[in-house]
Amino acid sequence: MPADDFLRQSTRGFDGTPLCAWIRRRGPRWLLTCTGYGGTLPAWQPLFDELAPSWSILIWDYRGQFGSDAPPGDLPIVIADHSRDLESLMAAEGISGGVLMGWSVGVQVALEHYRRRPEQVQALVLINGAYERVLHSPFGPGLGARLTRGATHLAALAADHLQPLMRPLFRKPALARTAVALGMVRGSQETFAPALAAWEKLDLGRYFRMTLTADEHVTSDMHGLVEVPTLITAGEKDLISPVRLAEELHQAISGSELLVIPDTTHYAIIEKPSFCARAIDRFLAERLRLRPETTKPIESA
């Protein structure tokens, strides 16, 4: 489906903060999409293009990122704020519930929303993300986490001063080529160009400050309470949210399904969108008893 199939909506969060959302209305079933920090519609478009066409989709820019404003006074933005904003968006659009799909930090947002409003969640699709303390994910607690937090803090300070110089880089083909060459992502530079170009409009200092705050968020206390169908995915070569985190979450959520996506990094929804979409469609068709014609056959990796 083309990007212009989505209608951009100017709306407001739970405290009146102006937000930017995109809506695609199709059938009565909704995919409520919680993106990662630094992710917006172009990052998801390859996956949306491959999903069964009957899904209606809601996706929004988190407060303080891309097209959404930050709250007055530059107050700290916490994970629960995004859940409250989602609740407001659903009320504004007349959506009573749906499948909650999160990627990267969006996994924490999805789990937090289930904690707050479980009656609004029919199923969880948790894609390549940490379930808490995002900066502890790559190396675990201890020295590695302290170094990662320290580097993120320095990045926040530097970004505030260097942003004017950094912004034009995100549209340069060399940046995508470098990411591919270093193994940070897999695929062609053209695959990642739209998602990288969107970063030109991202407040990088606020992005890193939000990441530091997300590192304080914990959901492990409520995993045993999850009672809806849950699909958990991991990229086989993901260094940001390693497979072991998905395995831990799978063990903690009773009845969940774990899928390791072969030969992909943190950005599997861009690298293998067709494979990811078939897996999501198949899981939801089986667990929610959808009609077969709403899904496509799953393909090999």
Side-chain angles (χ1 to χ4, degrees):
M1 78 205 61
D4 59 11
D5 200 37
F6 284 81
L7 294 178
R8 178 170 175 155
Q9 303 276 19
S10 295
T11 184
R12 292 187 178 274
F14 70 94
D15 58 356
T17 298
L19 301 178
C20 174
W22 287 270
I23 307 289
R24 188 196 78 176
R25 290 185 180 270
R26 291 285 180 84
R29 297 184 182 275
W30 283 89
L31 284 175
L32 310 170
T33 308
C34 307
T35 190
Y37 279 0
T40 186
L41 180 59
W44 287 87
Q45 195 66 53
L47 179 69
F48 291 159
D49 287 344
E50 297 290 341
L51 286 167
S54 59
W55 287 107
S56 293
I57 298 174
L58 164 67
I59 182 172
W60 80 103
D61 288 342
Y62 294 139
R63 54 180 52 219
Q65 295 197 355
F66 299 108
S68 293
D69 288 0
D74 203 22
L75 297 172
I77 298 171
V78 299
I79 294 292
D81 290 340
H82 308 314
S83 169
R84 295 186 181 99
D85 284 340
L86 174 58
E87 189 176 351
S88 295
L89 291 171
M90 292 173 65
E93 296 297 327
I95 303 169
S96 60
V99 174
L100 208 53
M101 181 166 65
W103 166 52
S104 193
V105 172
V107 168
Q108 292 178 239
V109 177
L111 288 169
E112 180 63 31
H113 195 75
Y114 184 85
R115 186 210 308 268
R116 294 186 60 254
R117 296 301 305 271
E119 74 282 0
Q120 294 184 341
V121 183
Q122 297 166 354
L124 290 166
V125 177
L126 307 177
I127 304 170
N128 296 26
Y131 52 83
E132 62 191 23
R133 309 217 64 182
V134 62
L135 294 178
H136 286 60
S137 301
F139 307 110
L143 179 61
R146 290 196 295 273
L147 290 174
T148 305
R149 280 190 62 88
T152 304
H153 180 71
L154 291 175
L157 296 175
D160 285 339
H161 298 288
L162 298 178
Q163 178 124 21
L165 299 175
M166 297 170 66
R167 274 182 170 163
L169 295 178
F170 294 117
R171 290 193 176 274
K172 301 290 185 181
L175 184 60
R177 286 198 301 269
T178 301
V180 172
L182 293 176
M184 298 169 60
V185 296
R186 304 179 76 83
S188 67
Q189 68 181 59
E190 291 78 14
T191 303
F192 294 91
L196 281 174
W199 275 58
E200 186 178 2
K201 299 179 181 179
L202 184 66
D203 185 323
L204 295 175
R206 184 176 293 115
Y207 162 81
F208 288 117
R209 291 192 295 273
M210 288 173 64
T211 303
L212 287 166
T213 304
D215 189 51
E216 300 169 4
H217 180 255
V218 174
T219 66
S220 53
D221 58 315
M222 50 78 67
H223 294 165
L225 304 178
V226 175
E227 296 180 342
V228 296
T230 302
L231 174 64
I232 302 164
T233 79
E236 182 184 27
K237 302 181 185 300
D238 190 344
L239 301 179
I240 297 175
S241 298
V243 173
R244 62 174 171 80
L245 296 177
E247 293 172 339
E248 292 170 6
L249 189 56
H250 171 52
Q251 292 297 320
I253 298 181
S254 177
S256 62
E257 181 175 318
L258 173 63
L259 173 65
V260 178
I261 306 167
D263 199 34
T264 58
T265 71
H266 194 59
Y267 303 93
I269 61 173
I270 301 176
E271 295 164 345
K272 289 192 175 181
S274 180
F275 180 82
C276 293
R278 300 296 76 74
I280 293 168
D281 282 338
R282 186 269 310 160
F283 175 83
L284 295 176
E286 291 178 356
R287 298 295 189 95
L288 299 182
R289 303 179 184 274
L290 303 185
R291 293 178 300 172
E293 61 267 25
T294 65
T295 66
K296 303 175 187 177
I298 190 167
E299 300 172 1
S300 66

